[in-house]
Amino acid sequence: MSDDDLLDSLQRAAFGYFLSQYNRANGLVADRSVTGSPCSIAVVGFALSSYPVAVERRWMTRDVAAQRTLAALRFFLSSAQSEAPDATGYKGFYYHFLDMQSGRRVWNSELSLIDTAFLFAGILTASAYFADNTQSETEIRQLADALYRRVDWQWAQNGKATLSQGWKPECGFLHYGWEGYSEASVLYVLALASPTHPIPANSYSAWTATYQWENLYGYDFLYAGPLFIHQFSHAWIDFRRIQDGFMREKSSDYFQNSRQATHIQREYALRNPHDFRGYGENFWGLSAGDGPTPGRLTIGGIERRFFGYTARGVPYGTDDGTIAPPAALASIVFAPEMALAAIRHFCDHYPEIVNECRLPSGFNPTFVRNGSKYWISDGYFGLDQGIVVLMIENHRSQLIWKLMRQCPYIGNGLRNADFRGGWL
């Protein structure tokens, strides 16, 4: 297949997740494709961002996409917002995991700031895309604005300089915050731009003051081990050639930083310090995702320690020989030749992992037992499939980036964080 045909197949297969794991009644989408999985509000954000892609690619009609979007927005605006432990949210934020049918909190999950931010990134993408003066598209824009204005970002600071990670009705704010570079860039941009409850600009600079600049394998970059950290905010914000104070000082930008992180991932796999099977020039991609199982196992005379779901990263993070193929593919906007070479390598050498062009959360050729050739994760995660849809589209047409450049809240938030240059 040509590169474009391959990308089209992979992107459409990834979008298929949102068709199969969707509740028509309330617009919620499951966290993963296993029986009984609850909704993840972050996955809903990726779904809402993916519907415009599906319309433009003619996988879905505009009316169907609008109705799916309305189902979700109507649900979130009307759902229970209170301190009750079984509410859907509080102070405009939402619990990380919700029951797929009732939409109420499950798993004793936290009121999650970052997952709420991903949800709102999707809501604002929908608001920017559905710009026609029809009844349904006008309602989408009205609901999106009402939902965004309701979020009390100031409350989420808990009297501190930076934002907290979350809150629970049983114990209040969580006792850890955002320290070091993370996927929270879009969270701070949204909080800084709020027309009703904005956080002060010094909150963002207080966060960037915790960053860790490194030189690894000859590459200067802002450190974060897992690939998803270098990707998620980039799904919505075009960071090319725009700089905040931190990046101006380093003569870099966050897009270039993610490119460096991608090269570091490949270099780590080439060096393969723990001698895992498969690692090499076209076999890389350590990120958050499933793993074989927690515990130790002797394989080939070597005792290995394996993990379940965790955030794997390089070179300091957890590494048990498990890679996340969707993370390698989602690097396509930063290093297209490298990402395509990796995906073709997976398809050619491990065809069993590419199920109808959809990539699994985790894959580990070192973990072998009972005659198996390698370990493959069960089911699929919505976050993995969502980031594939959006990053391939940004590579192909820049659709999501273009839509979010039109969103005044994104531009205002970036300027309030002292970003300058480029498209700003």
Side-chain angles (χ1 to χ4, degrees):
M1 294 203 296
S2 68
D3 288 347
D4 195 59
D5 287 342
L6 176 61
L7 290 175
D8 191 75
S9 298
L10 291 163
Q11 188 182 26
R12 187 163 190 173
F15 177 73
Y17 180 91
F18 301 117
L19 300 179
S20 63
Q21 305 300 319
Y22 168 78
N23 183 346
R24 184 183 301 273
N26 54 22
L28 299 184
V29 185
D31 176 54
R32 63 183 302 179
S33 61
V34 296
T35 302
S37 174
C39 162
S40 159
I41 59 170
V43 173
V44 178
F46 276 95
L48 292 171
S49 301
S50 296
Y51 297 148
V53 176
V55 175
E56 294 300 307
R57 294 286 165 193
R58 300 188 178 183
W59 304 333
M60 176 181 285
T61 67
R62 190 178 184 96
D63 182 63
V64 168
Q67 294 309 313
R68 280 174 166 254
T69 300
L70 278 173
L73 270 56
R74 287 167 178 164
F75 165 76
F76 282 110
L77 191 64
S78 63
S79 58
Q81 284 267 322
S82 75
E83 295 181 84
D86 67 340
T88 298
Y90 181 52
K91 295 286 187 178
F93 296 94
Y94 294 94
Y95 288 103
H96 191 169
F97 297 110
L98 306 174
D99 182 88
M100 281 291 293
Q101 305 307 318
S102 69
R104 290 184 175 269
R105 176 197 188 204
V106 295
W107 289 356
N108 197 35
S109 59
E110 78 284 7
L111 197 76
S112 173
L113 269 71
I114 188 60
D115 293 286
T116 295
F118 294 147
L119 171 62
F120 273 97
I123 289 172
L124 294 177
T125 301
S127 180
Y129 181 73
F130 292 106
D132 289 351
N133 289 324
T134 63
Q135 182 176 347
S136 60
E137 298 197 17
T138 298
E139 185 182 357
I140 286 172
R141 297 191 298 275
Q142 291 171 343
L143 292 174
D145 204 56
L147 284 161
Y148 181 61
R149 288 174 176 272
R150 187 170 68 175
V151 185
D152 191 344
W153 307 97
Q154 294 171 1
W155 169 81
Q157 288 184 264
N158 190 28
K160 299 178 181 177
T162 56
L163 289 163
S164 65
Q165 281 206 354
W167 176 90
K168 288 187 175 185
E170 296 85 3
C171 59
F173 285 99
L174 304 181
H175 296 300
Y176 45 88
W178 295 100
E179 293 183 359
Y181 180 53
S182 72
E183 70 277 21
S185 298
V186 69
L187 166 64
Y188 272 90
V189 168
L190 292 173
L192 286 163
S194 171
T196 51
H197 306 286
I199 61 171
N202 63 10
S203 180
Y204 179 77
S205 57
W207 176 47
T208 61
T210 69
Y211 283 0
Q212 179 182 344
W213 188 257
E214 294 268 4
N215 180 282
L216 294 172
Y217 312 139
Y219 295 98
D220 291 316
F221 89 129
L222 175 55
Y223 175 76
L227 267 179
F228 81 93
I229 288 178
H230 298 282
Q231 297 171 347
F232 275 25
S233 287
H234 292 256
W236 292 280
I237 301 177
D238 181 2
F239 283 105
R240 292 174 299 175
R241 296 178 294 280
I242 65 171
Q243 298 172 310
D244 60 3
F246 182 91
M247 281 299 180
R248 280 194 295 276
E249 182 181 320
K250 302 298 183 182
S251 299
S252 184
D253 61 53
Y254 291 99
F255 183 89
Q256 175 65 21
N257 195 72
S258 292
R259 190 196 305 274
Q260 300 285 74
T262 306
H263 282 276
I264 287 167
Q265 283 261 344
R266 185 176 66 169
E267 181 62 28
Y268 175 86
L270 280 166
R271 298 185 182 209
N272 195 9
H274 304 295
D275 197 27
F276 287 118
R277 288 180 59 192
Y279 279 29
E281 181 180 17
N282 296 321
F283 192 104
W284 49 269
L286 275 73
S287 193
D290 263 349
T293 183
R296 297 182 181 274
L297 189 67
T298 299
I299 298 175
I302 302 174
E303 185 181 70
R304 303 280 194 181
R305 184 181 180 187
F306 296 98
F307 302 87
Y309 187 94
T310 191
R312 295 168 176 82
V314 304
Y316 309 129
T318 302
D319 180 13
D320 61 358
T322 303
I323 64 157
L329 179 53
S331 299
I332 191 156
V333 297
F334 310 118
E337 296 83 5
M338 285 171 51
L340 280 164
I343 295 306
R344 288 194 179 277
H345 180 82
F346 299 148
C347 293
D348 292 343
H349 294 271
Y350 309 96
E352 296 91 339
I353 76 168
V354 188
N355 185 11
E356 297 181 347
C357 285
R358 188 177 295 171
L359 300 173
S361 169
F363 171 55
N364 190 324
T366 300
F367 187 90
V368 292
R369 61 179 180 178
N370 302 325
S372 66
K373 291 193 293 184
Y374 32 69
W375 173 87
I376 306 173
S377 59
D378 294 327
Y380 300 93
F381 280 90
L383 290 178
D384 293 336
Q385 305 310 311
I387 192 65
V388 164
V389 173
L390 300 192
M391 290 306 230
I392 288 179
E393 193 57 40
N394 281 329
H395 170 69
R396 298 175 82 183
S397 73
Q398 303 183 35
L399 174 65
I400 307 301
W401 287 342
K402 289 176 181 177
L403 288 172
M404 295 307 263
R405 285 191 217 137
Q406 299 169 19
C407 175
Y409 296 130
I410 295 297
N412 290 342
L414 288 166
R415 292 184 184 93
N416 290 342
D418 198 26
F419 277 87
R420 306 174 200 161
W423 61 270
L424 282 172

